[in-house]
């Protein structure tokens, strides 16, 4: 396995980015300002993670996605561990926002993330169409954080 940082042509990974965030316009708002990391198993792209610096102490995962056929095989966990280790020396806190999806929330909580707050109606107010996960419409954005030290 290998993890590469993508510094050019980040939009070439749009298909996978759209798995983590269904709205291309929203992705384009953060993609240029994010560091993009991709995980390959042998030569097969499985997952990616876009990370943005918020301030001197905090970074944010903007997108963590794995192709459906590679989900539940540990790839996102490997990438998340990589991100935590990479930024641990220079940042105190890793945050992320996600929808009200129990599977996703449990994934992060098992890795030490805790809920901090919600942004009411985020998915209604910021997306051009309704977003559904596991048959449930996403409405509020739930923020989680993890201390990196």
């Amino acid at each position: 396995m290998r993890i590469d940082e993508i510094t050019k042509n980040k939009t070439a990974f749009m298909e996978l980015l759209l798995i983590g965030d269904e709205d291309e316009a929203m992705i384009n708002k953060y993609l240029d300002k994010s560091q993009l990391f991709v995980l390959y198993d042998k030569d097969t792209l499985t997952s990616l993670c876009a990370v943005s610096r918020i301030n001197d102490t905090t970074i944010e995962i903007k997108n963590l996605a794995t192709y459906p056929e590679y989900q539940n095989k540990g790839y996102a966990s490997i990438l998340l561990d990589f991100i935590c280790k990479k930024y641990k020396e220079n940042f105190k806190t890793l945050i992320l926002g996600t929808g009200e999806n129990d599977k996703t929330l449990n994934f992060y909580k098992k890795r030490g993330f805790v809920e901090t707050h919600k942004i009411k109606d985020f998915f209604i107010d910021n997306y051009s169409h309704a977003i559904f996960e596991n048959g449930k419409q996403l409405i509020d954005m739930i923020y989680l954080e993890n201390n990196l030290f």
Side-chain angles (χ1 to χ4, degrees), residues 17-65:
L17 285 159
L18 285 166
I19 291 171
D21 188 339
E22 294 181 26
D23 192 313
E24 192 169 336
M26 289 295 283
I27 292 169
N28 287 327
K29 287 181 181 180
Y30 61 75
L31 191 57
D32 283 341
K33 296 177 270 186
S34 297
Q35 289 184 277
L36 183 63
F37 300 93
V38 294
L39 185 143
Y40 290 90
D41 188 351
K42 298 181 177 125
D43 289 327
T44 302
L45 174 64
T46 64
S47 307
L48 61 69
C49 187
V51 181
S52 292
R53 180 181 182 273
I54 301 301
N55 57 41
D56 289 342
T57 61
T58 306
I59 56 167
E60 180 176 4
I61 291 178
K62 300 301 252 177
N63 194 321
L64 177 61

Side-chain angles (χ1 to χ4, degrees), residues 59-122:
I59 56 167
E60 180 176 4
I61 291 178
K62 300 301 252 177
N63 194 321
L64 177 61
T66 299
Y67 280 117
E69 61 268 32
Y70 301 111
Q71 291 177 2
N72 302 310
K73 297 182 189 287
Y75 295 116
S77 295
I78 291 167
L79 203 45
L80 186 58
D81 288 346
F82 169 84
I83 296 300
C84 290
K85 287 176 187 163
K86 177 174 180 56
Y87 290 100
K88 186 176 185 172
E89 291 184 26
N90 297 312
F91 295 91
K92 290 182 180 179
T93 308
L94 173 60
I95 65 170
L96 62 93
T98 190
E100 297 171 280
N101 177 329
D102 288 337
K103 183 179 176 185
T104 303
L105 291 169
N106 288 335
F107 169 81
Y108 288 113
K109 288 177 181 178
K110 284 180 185 176
R111 286 149 187 87
F113 285 81
V114 295
E115 284 186 39
T116 57
H117 64 284
K118 290 183 182 183
I119 299 177
K120 188 170 173 37
D121 297 329
F122 179 87

